[in-house]
Each structure stands twice: as C-alpha cells, then as structure tokens.
Amino acid sequence: MALSASKLTWGFALLAIGSLGLAGWQAYQLREIRAFNQAIQQGKSPNTRQDSYEAKFAVAYWQARNGRYQEATQLFGQLLEKGDDTQKSAVQFNTGNIFFLRGLAVNGRDITVRDETEYLLNQARTAYEQSLRLDHSFWDARHNLDRVLSMLPSTPTPGSGESDSPGLIMGNIPVGLP
C-alpha cells in the first residue's frame, strides 16, 4: 500500500493551501485585535467586537476617566451580571474607584457635604469589599480599601449607614422614645 509520488504531491499541496488559508485568517484576527486594542487605548469605542465584555468594560472605564460617573456606574452594573469572578472583581474595583473619586471631589466642611462624602466613601468601601470577596488577591482593591477606611470616621454619622448604634433617626428624636 505504497503512496505514489503524485498522491503525496497533491496531499502536500492541499496541506500547504490549508496552512496558507489558516495563516491568512490568523493575520486578519491579529489586525482586528490590534485595532480593538488601539481604540481602547485611545478611549474610543472599538469598531469590532462591540458586544464583547472587554469592549463594554473599556467604554465604562473611559467614561469614568472622563468624569461621566453615572454612565460608567450603569455600564459596570450591567457587566456584573456577566463574566467570571476576576472580571466581576475588576468591575467592583472600578465602581469603588468612582465612588472614591466622587467622595474626594465632594469633600468639604459643610455638614451636608460631609454626609454626602461619608455616603460616597461607604459606597466605595462596600465595592472594594465585594471586589475582595470575588478575588482576595486583588492588592489594588486591598490598598484602596485601606485608604477609604482611614478616611471614614471611626463613629458613623447617626442614622446613616450600617451602624450598630441606633443614633438619631428623625431630627432630634432619639430612637426608643415615644
């Protein structure tokens, strides 16, 4: 059952044509990947793979970088329904960064501003904690959580947050009195 030279030649020719086609397909894929990465680095929405997790993450990231926090938070919220734990951890980390930056921007001496700052920093703390639950080795989230915790008051504002002490709930009426 020997193969003739012509059959071997045809076999190698088909193999060469198939390999050339595969190489062309891979070159096309590489060009698309480069265009995708370049668009993301420039803060633009990519023209290819627009429905991919990575494209949506990049759009949300750049919206946050450009101060469009509400849109970025909404997009990050949509991404929490998809992806693996590492991706969800990155989403929570970036959401925490949004709240952290907003809290730093709002920070002031006025009581209403202080309450808003405390609220935003608590939201950042919660997001960083969620990020660490999903990926306990995420050192950036750990670092930012430490920074947020150092900025939060040791005794929370009465009536807000997850305080164990009841404090004042309505105006100046203490909890538990008729």
Side-chain angles (χ1 to χ4, degrees):
M1 188 161 163
L3 293 175
S4 67
S6 66
K7 286 183 181 179
L8 280 174
T9 303
W10 279 106
F12 284 132
L14 289 174
L15 182 63
I17 291 171
S19 297
L20 188 61
L22 183 61
W25 173 251
Q26 288 179 339
Y28 172 76
Q29 290 292 324
L30 281 174
R31 190 175 66 228
E32 288 218 343
I33 290 169
R34 284 189 186 120
F36 181 87
N37 289 338
Q38 185 177 12
I40 288 173
Q41 287 174 343
Q42 294 173 352
K44 299 176 183 174
S45 183
N47 294 332
T48 60
R49 303 178 187 186
Q50 292 176 339
D51 291 336
S52 71
Y53 189 93
E54 292 79 9
K56 290 178 181 180
F57 186 94
V59 168
Y61 175 82
W62 282 105
Q63 284 180 339
R65 289 283 305 253
N66 292 322
R68 298 177 64 185
Y69 298 127
Q70 187 172 5
E71 294 93 342
T73 304
Q74 288 175 346
L75 268 177
F76 279 135
Q78 292 171 3
L79 290 174
L80 279 175
E81 300 169 7
K82 305 171 187 167
D84 59 23
D85 284 351
T86 303
Q87 291 171 323
K88 290 178 183 178
S89 178
V91 166
Q92 287 289 358
F93 173 73
N94 281 284
T95 302
N97 288 346
I98 289 170
F99 285 118
F100 193 17
L101 290 172
R102 287 179 58 203
L104 291 174
V106 170
N107 194 10
R109 298 187 187 274
D110 182 11
I111 187 116
T112 57
V113 171
R114 191 175 68 224
D115 290 345
E116 184 178 355
T117 300
E118 189 176 336
Y119 169 78
L120 291 168
L121 291 178
N122 274 315
Q123 294 296 317
R125 182 197 69 187
T126 302
Y128 291 138
E129 288 171 348
Q130 296 275 343
S131 176
L132 288 169
R133 277 189 205 105
L134 293 163
D135 181 4
H136 60 85
S137 64
F138 196 173
W139 289 104
D140 290 341
R142 204 175 291 267
H143 172 76
N144 285 7
L145 176 62
D146 288 342
R147 290 188 65 199
V148 167
L149 290 174
S150 71
M151 295 178 74
L152 283 170
S154 58
T155 56
T157 303
S160 69
E162 302 169 10
S163 172
D164 289 338
S165 59
L168 301 175
I169 301 297
M170 297 175 51
N172 59 358
I173 303 170
V175 175
L177 294 178

